[in-house]
Amino acid sequence: LRGDNAWAAPAGGGMTLLSTLTTTSGTSQSTSTISLTGYKNLFIDIYSVGSSGTAGKLQLTPNGGSASIMWDVSAGSSSQAMYGLYIQNLASGVVTSTCRSGLARSASAIAVTTGLPGPNTGVNQGLTTSTTEITFSFDGSEIFDVGQILVYGLS
């Protein structure tokens, strides 16, 4: 071992924050132009995202194409929010996601609950390394009024 700890540095890769969206107004929020070239996975972190309505399911639309519902649950009531993590392999399109809705807005702590249905799994081949913009909206056209979405790339 060398004395400078250079052996402990990762050999490439890593996670990069690509876009931060504040979801406090409007019927949709879009990333600015992003490049997913060189990334293997996309991580989308949903923190306290809520809407003015009660029936909408959060969806994403890559490059203005077809919308894909991220979770098959509604946002809850207009005084609640959803929290989740959406992970996608950009080569195969395989998606794994988790979400809890109907929770307190801007919570600093939410207990992990066992017994809930596990992660959802699917395929979304519309979101690839060629994607340059991602738009988030609710399928019921509700208006965002709280929260934040962070989009990360993993090389």
Side-chain angles (χ1 to χ4, degrees), residues 7 16 19 24 29 34-35 41 53 64-65 67 77 84 99 107 136 149 151:
W7 58 272
T16 304
S19 185
T24 56
Q29 294 293 325
I34 58 174
S35 174
N41 291 286
S77 78
C99 174
F136 298 88
I149 298 174
V151 179

Side-chain angles (χ1 to χ4, degrees), residues 35-123:
S35 174
L36 300 181
T37 303
Y39 293 106
K40 294 179 180 166
N41 291 286
L42 197 66
F43 285 69
I44 302 174
D45 183 357
I46 307 296
Y47 174 76
S48 188
V49 171
S51 71
S52 60
T54 61
K57 296 173 184 165
L58 190 62
Q59 62 186 4
L60 64 82
T61 306
N63 290 342
S66 298
S68 295
I69 292 177
M70 297 174 73
W71 297 288
D72 196 21
V73 296
S74 69
S77 78
S78 59
S79 64
Q80 298 172 330
M82 59 186 356
Y83 298 80
L85 182 60
Y86 178 97
I87 305 167
Q88 179 164 341
N89 179 307
L90 293 171
S92 68
V94 172
V95 173
T96 298
S97 65
T98 60
C99 174
R100 285 188 60 197
S101 63
L103 299 170
R105 291 176 172 221
S106 304
S108 60
I110 297 172
V112 175
T113 304
T114 59
L116 292 176
N120 299 307
T121 302
V123 175

